[in-house]
Amino acid sequence: MSTIVRDYSIPANDFTIAGEASSSVRKLLSQLGVSPDVVKRTSIAMYEAEINAVIHGNGGKAHVEIDESKIYICISDEGPGIADLDLAMQEGYSTAPDSIREMGFGAGMGLSNIKKNSDILYIETEINKGTKVNITVFFSK
Amino acid sequence: MTVKEMAHKLGYKIINNTDPVAEKLDAKVTGVYACDLLSHAMAKVNEGDVWITVHTNLNVIAVASLTNCACVMIPENIDIESQSIERANDKGVVLLSSSKSAAHICLEILSALKDMK
């Protein structure tokens, strides 16, 4: 199988289409016959990263590469960056405003959910430059 | 017990039943989970669960679709945003509604599941 590449745009502060990239990848993985457990883990990790880009990163991009053994996802934004990544990784820590919390987000579980559901997570972030969340999920361990 | 059987038995209102939602009414209900934090729900809701939440925004439909839950239950007759109903139709997510509280609905569904055993 040759590598399948997909690129998506993630709009800023627009919840009407937030999650469409992860929904599309979920459908693609199911069509490729990837196991439901892997599809679920990948979709959750990608959706959380996508929502983070919508809420915190002024939108951004999703780049996806799928080969026979894994899926690699890079969610990048040019937002404010994460000031203290160790703190941000702690469950329960959130900088989301009240308007976001009222929608059911902002519980400070996004990054830890991504970590739990991915096999490799690598986050690059720089203040006032942006953040790249690199997620890899293997199809079989 | 399917979603449709549960709705009839316990008097829950089925909000949407057009294709492709109609076939999801035959999905098996195996559990119930009540939570309004979307990330928490995403991590904990299992396939076959009735997910109870007071939120009715579009993100609920995305989380329901990702978790492949049996259906979403909106308690206490809370109004459901029309754009969410449209999105639920597109994504094949069944929305149910009840006048009862989340706690009461949990009790009813768990009792019904216990009776089936």
Side-chain angles (χ1 to χ4, degrees), chain B residues 10-102:
Chain B
L10 301 174
Y12 303 150
K13 186 177 174 192
I14 298 169
I15 301 297
N16 56 343
N17 58 4
T18 53
D19 286 333
V21 178
E23 65 185 58
K24 292 281 291 202
L25 288 170
D26 294 326
K28 282 255 184 255
V29 173
T30 52
V32 57
Y33 196 83
C35 181
D36 296 320
L37 293 177
L38 299 188
S39 288
H40 198 84
M42 205 166 2
K44 299 285 184 178
V45 171
N46 290 314
E47 192 168 342
D49 279 351
V50 176
W51 173 31
I52 307 174
T53 175
V54 297
H55 291 298
T56 66
N57 58 51
L58 285 170
N59 307 306
V60 168
I61 311 304
V63 171
S65 179
L66 288 172
T67 55
N68 213 14
C69 61
C71 61
V72 177
M73 162 63 78
I74 310 297
E76 300 182 33
N77 283 339
I78 292 168
D79 286 337
I80 303 173
E81 294 173 29
S82 59
Q83 60 176 0
S84 297
I85 298 173
E86 284 167 29
R87 183 67 59 85
N89 287 337
D90 290 346
K91 299 284 181 190
V93 172
V94 178
L95 297 173
L96 301 181
S97 167
S98 168
S99 61
K100 295 160 190 161
S101 70

Side-chain angles (χ1 to χ4, degrees), chain A residues 1-6 63-68 70 72:
Chain A
M1 170 177 144
S2 57
T3 303
I4 297 170
V5 178
R6 293 283 187 278
H63 175 76
V64 176
E65 293 177 15
I66 303 167
D67 65 25
E68 61 279 337
K70 65 183 182 302
Y72 163 75

